[in-house]
Amino acid sequence: MLTSVFVIVPIASLFALFFAWWFFRQMMKSSEGTDDMKRIAAHVRKGASAYLKQQYKIVIIVFLVITVIFSILAYGLGVQNKWVPFAFITGGAFSGLAGFFGMKAATYASARVANACRTSLNGGLKLAFRSGAVMGLVVVGLVLLDISAWFLVLNHFIPEMDGGYKLMTITAIMLTFGMGASTQALFARVGGGIYTKAADVGADLVGKVEAGIPEDDPRNPATIADNVGDNVGDVAGMGADLFESFAASILATALLGAAAYIDNESVQLNAVLAPMLIAAVGTLLSIAGVFMVRTREGATQKDLLKSLGFGVNFSAFLIVIASFFILRFLNMPNYAGVWGSIVTGLLAGIAIGQSTEYFTASAYKPTKKIAESGESGPATVIISGIGTGLISAAVPLLIIVVGITLAFSFATGFDFTMSQLNKGLYGIGIAAVGMLSTLGITLATDAYGPIADNAGGNAEMCHLGEEVRKRTDALDSLGNTTAATGKGFAIGSAALTALALLASYFEEVRMMFVKFLDMPNELINGVPAIDAEFLDFVQHYQIHLMNPTVIAGIFLGVMSVFIFSGMTMNAVGRAAQKMVDEVRRQFKASPGIMEGTEEPDYARCVEISTRGAQKEMLLPSVIALFIPVVVGIVFGVPGIAGLLMGTISSGFALAIFMANAGGAWDNAKKYVEEGHHGGKGSDIHKATVIGDTVGDPFKDTSGPSLNILIKLMVMASVVTVGIAVSYPLIKPWLG
Amino acid sequence: MLTSVFVIVPIASLFALFFAWWFFRQMMKSSEGTDDMKRIAAHVRKGASAYLKQQYKIVIIVFLVITVIFSILAYGLGVQNKWVPFAFITGGAFSGLAGFFGMKAATYASARVANACRTSLNGGLKLAFRSGAVMGLVVVGLVLLDISAWFLVLNHFIPEMDGGYKLMTITAIMLTFGMGASTQALFARVGGGIYTKAADVGADLVGKVEAGIPEDDPRNPATIADNVGDNVGDVAGMGADLFESFAASILATALLGAAAYIDNESVQLNAVLAPMLIAAVGTLLSIAGVFMVRTREGATQKDLLKSLGFGVNFSAFLIVIASFFILRFLNMPNYAGVWGSIVTGLLAGIAIGQSTEYFTASAYKPTKKIAESGESGPATVIISGIGTGLISAAVPLLIIVVGITLAFSFATGFDFTMSQLNKGLYGIGIAAVGMLSTLGITLATDAYGPIADNAGGNAEMCHLGEEVRKRTDALDSLGNTTAATGKGFAIGSAALTALALLASYFEEVRMMFVKFLDMPNELINGVPAIDAEFLDFVQHYQIHLMNPTVIAGIFLGVMSVFIFSGMTMNAVGRAAQKMVDEVRRQFKASPGIMEGTEEPDYARCVEISTRGAQKEMLLPSVIALFIPVVVGIVFGVPGIAGLLMGTISSGFALAIFMANAGGAWDNAKKYVEEGHHGGKGSDIHKATVIGDTVGDPFKDTSGPSLNILIKLMVMASVVTVGIAVSYPLIKPWLG
């Protein structure tokens, strides 16, 4: 049944992996610089590896437990498909592999980038960016590889069925591959987020504030841990986050396509293939885009931003054109409309990035106001940062509202009859795919940031010349800007992906619903004609807003978001406190450290961060995994429906609030450091430093962790749908 | 058709108003103390009156505009009932009157309480508490008066109809009386909240931090404005907030009762009367409770808390018993179940209060931890306060979930068939009534706080003896505890009231739906049999979670909450900045102020706060009023349904987070001031002072304003339901 065009997907995957390997090899060939530079880099690399090893140990245990549970559900209770445990494992394994390779590349690159900056800015930029591209390409490559493999395997093993049920079944199974990626991402983002900020806050509180030594000073025992943190949080964590979004958006859209076009098998196949093909072609265009990024010596900050922007926009522009022809080639009905949905998604991603930049860059009013409010002390800096952050969430929320409304409307051809509902939901899904289609290069710009940051740290610690420092500073500063917009993009794509997942959750329920009614016996063998059964479904499950179990679910969703972010916030506080104690202890026990005659015990600080992160990430993670199961057992499908909407909506808003407030505080501090309001060392500077420290866990721990939460809760509901359908305590159907 | 038992409602109203008058007269008879004391009190009184006058000017303009709009909707477009403009006006006027009397009493009482404390603690407590009871009793008295009057008037003017439609019509009209109260409350809470914190933050930043003079020092020009703020924010604002909750919960429940029992006219009448009677009897019991509050000389803090608690618990315990007999007397079917719903509401209120206390009182771990985190500076105080605040929101959310589930289940007799849905919603409404039934006395404990606070301020400014100061301190400290639990209660009751309002919104839509379908021509004359039409209704309006307009609405609801609280937060920052500038100016221009030889220009500071508050409250208020209208026009009923659920759920969570974080910071500071972690003047103390300042707008401006937002958005949707039903741009019915 497969059309030959599908071959593009594995080909794009192999291309991506090949170029990742090639960029890696090129990078490894360049020199790592002086012995000092090598030594520092080795410290960071060792710390990062130690962290990853520790994390994977825990993750493997969690995966074993969940796999056993899934096996019981599938083979024991029969409320789940028998392929699920396997799809779950590969998803997790592939995501873990991507994190491993990405971080390897980043930690090998930093000293080499610093060294390249000794000769030229362009050399440094290219090396840093292409090392970041290793992460970007490994992520998209492995996602496409896993999707290709499973699609071929399941196509072979799932028997032919009438009425388009085969593709429904295949895509429904494949979606659970996302659950593995979600679980892996949970630990990478939450653990990495806690790690990086415990180290950062700890290093700053004692180093900068108490001892009065600058950032990245080699005398600070926590400085290596801080640099390791950039890698485990911003490289591995961000990578796992977007691995999940990329995979889940493609898979959810495939399932929604299978459901929407179930009445015509050839259209159905093309609707399933469309998201995969768009992601594949986007990947090829991303590789081309990476080669476009270059700059000239003496480039200004604006030039550098343009260089990166050119690569990203090049890929985005071409995918807009390419996707039109892909859809036309696939002969999709209303292909212009579906194309409109894709463009909507891409534009929404760009718009969210722009709004993030407006609210967090010191070139604009909001951040300037925050810096200005430092004149009446730290309290007003915090108040105005929180006020601005809260308001800033409104813009991306509005963008998402406009985005889903347009994506839905385009895909239905503005025909709002019930029979078009599923096509509209497919439109929302494919908008998410559009937004993420050029992930290969956008993720490269994200991973570039911490590499440049670490290169700067390496240069600082090894006392390289001022010219070199200036170059690494330029690269680092560029990384800060891309980090802010990257965060906005990650959250926006997480929200859109979560909505697509929510829509596919309802499809999964519908498949179970048929089983529950004891129509055809096999879950996977009997799927009702979608349109006709829709009202039955809504009536049966009463997922409407007058049902108190739906309302209860919404409240519980908001609750999950608040408790999860509160816990991650407190986790940073506690872990940072341990770091503070350790640094103080080292300064006291070995006075030689401050005199520069004795090397501090970096490894001990790395270990403290590692252990703190591992310990602190467990409880919030368990909560995130268990709430959907418990709500499903108590309130059934309506409760889950409410839970997920409550989580997605409030989680998205809180994540934006936290990311933007944190980013704005960071840049308000930098703005003062540039000489405004009295500059470095002034009282206003001190006030903004406090704002920046508060913002650290906002923007790098709790905020990004919410991206994971909103996707994971839906995924966990998808894979445990059998429980919610079959065994709710409070029967969800009022009637 | 009225049964004679209804007479209890106006009687309770007159009793409440009589005792309010009596307590006021008693208080006025006692001496105001020395000339100094009189002078200070007069300053505060003048400032408060000036503020109120200014605010009412703006409110009258807003009311004129809205009344014109309603008149056009009612008489021009015919999408609204013709009584609505009048009900709107009386609601607003009565709420305004209650605020006026309550604040008069409070501002006349403060010096008298200080004076009474010169002789005895018991005298001071009784005087302060009974002056607070003036506010409590005026609020409940005027609500009951308005309800009685409208019920009698409408009963006379609305013609008899078949099938229980007359009561549906009456209660639907009466509900719009709540819109007047909502609008009045919006300005009282938002304006008052901005006023009080602009003055407080401004006074602290210059007085305590820069000039190093203590709180309530007469040399601080902003100190009178600060005291005025307690009255306009905590007395008038809180009063208007709970006026609205009290009125709206009774009226919404009456409408839900009329809908739920429409098939049996005598049961229907009793279901409508039940919430009114319970509120009336609760009011009589509250008056009795007020008389129970007394203490003995040398009472400890615990004794004082017990005294207040005894009065409140006395009333609550008796209403539990009384309401059982009321329901039995009314011959309600399943009266034990409905009684269970009432008890659930009462218990939920108590539980939320308890959880507030746990998270904000320095006797417990969370607040102690925040104080402890001051050891690594202000940044960690902020981080742990926010972390704790976020987590603390989980408990009340869970309480509300359990509360609505139980209230719903009890009222349906655990029969979850469709025909019972309306009875369940009635159960949720009557739970809110139960929670608020003894408002007369709970509000007295709230209003008591600022009176005691002002008495303390008066004693401080007039340099009364240490013994007197000790007594006023004891009363003030008691007020801080009741303020925290009072806030929890206000938010909890707001959430439950908003949910009852949401349910009645759907009833209003159903009534419009009939009109829309051109069944019987008159909106008020034709109401469908509830059970039979329900599924039609849900199908027709598609208020389910697969409808993208519902999802868009939910996102917009969350957006409203974030933008509203961000704006109120920034408003405080800006207004406080102006106050800081003015105080600095006065200190500079008149050096005699600091030497104590020159009286500062208090009036100027009062004026600055007043003008700042009036200016800053307009934009957020306009947004709150317009968003429901705009969403109704664009997305129709499904959009509104989503909007309201998004607003209620995330607004409730954010309000709790802000109130608890603010309260915990406040008490962490006090805990340090008691001598822990180095006590007053230590670095840790300074760190916690910063936390406290950040917490001020959290707990007294943005948090409480959200109570209003969640109720007002529903009310605004209720009164503009005709627009959403008749003129949506995106047709909400998919099919």
Side-chain angles (χ1 to χ4, degrees), chain A residues 201 205 210 369 372-373 375-380 382-391 393-395 397-398 400-401 404-405 408-409 415-419 421-422 425 428 495 499 502-503 506-507 510 534-535 537-539 542-556 558-560 562-563 565-567 569-570 572-574 576-577 580 584 635 638 641-642 645-646 648-650 652-654 657-658 665 689-690 693-695 697-698 730-731 733-735, chain B residues 201 205 210 369 372-373 375-380 382-391 393-395 397-398 400-401 404-405 408-409 415-419 421-422 425 428 495 499 502-503 506-507 510 534-535 537-539 542-556 558-560 562-563 565-567 569-570 572-574 576-577 580 584 635 638 641-642 645-646 648-650 652-654 657-658 665 689-690 693-695 697-698 730-731 733-735:
Chain A
V201 172
L205 282 177
E210 286 182 21
K369 285 257 169 201
E372 194 188 311
S373 66
E375 288 187 9
S376 22
T380 39
I382 304 291
I383 290 175
S384 69
I386 288 176
T388 305
L390 287 168
I391 291 175
V395 184
L397 279 162
L398 206 58
I400 288 289
V401 166
I404 57 176
T405 307
F408 183 92
S409 305
D415 169 2
F416 297 120
T417 52
M418 182 59 65
S419 60
L421 178 68
N422 274 288
L425 297 177
I428 292 177
L499 286 174
L502 178 62
F506 290 124
E507 297 303 335
R510 187 144 46 193
F534 176 76
L535 277 178
F537 166 74
V538 169
Q539 279 171 34
Q542 301 292 351
I543 53 166
H544 59 76
L545 289 175
M546 284 179 83
N547 187 340
T549 55
V550 172
I551 295 176
I554 292 180
F555 274 89
L556 290 170
V558 176
M559 184 196 84
S560 312
F562 274 67
I563 205 169
S565 43
M567 283 178 129
M569 189 79 86
N570 278 347
V572 171
R574 276 190 299 263
Q577 188 57 48
V580 167
R584 281 185 186 152
F635 290 115
M645 261 324 293
I648 296 172
S649 58
S650 66
F652 176 61
L654 208 63
F657 154 58
M658 289 183 152
W665 277 319
V689 166
I690 291 172
T693 311
V694 172
F698 266 62
I730 298 179
K731 284 270 179 282
W733 35 98
L734 285 154
Chain B
V201 172
L205 282 178
E210 286 183 20
K369 283 259 168 198
E372 195 187 311
S373 67
E375 288 187 10
S376 23
T380 39
I382 305 290
I383 290 175
S384 68
I386 288 175
T388 305
L390 287 168
I391 291 175
V395 184
L397 279 162
L398 207 58
I400 287 287
V401 166
I404 58 176
T405 307
F408 182 92
S409 305
D415 169 2
F416 298 120
T417 52
M418 183 60 65
S419 61
L421 178 68
N422 274 288
L425 297 177
I428 293 178
L499 286 174
L502 178 63
F506 290 125
E507 296 302 336
R510 187 144 46 194
F534 176 75
L535 278 178
F537 167 75
V538 169
Q539 279 172 33
Q542 301 292 352
I543 52 166
H544 59 77
L545 288 175
M546 283 180 84
N547 186 341
T549 56
V550 172
I551 295 177
I554 292 179
F555 274 90
L556 290 170
V558 176
M559 184 196 83
S560 311
F562 274 68
I563 205 169
S565 43
M567 282 178 129
M569 189 78 85
N570 278 347
V572 171
R574 276 190 299 262
Q577 188 57 47
V580 167
R584 280 184 187 154
F635 290 113
M645 263 322 296
I648 296 172
S649 58
S650 67
F652 177 61
L654 208 63
F657 154 58
M658 289 184 152
W665 276 319
V689 166
I690 291 172
T693 311
V694 172
F698 266 63
I730 298 178
K731 286 267 180 285
W733 35 98
L734 285 154

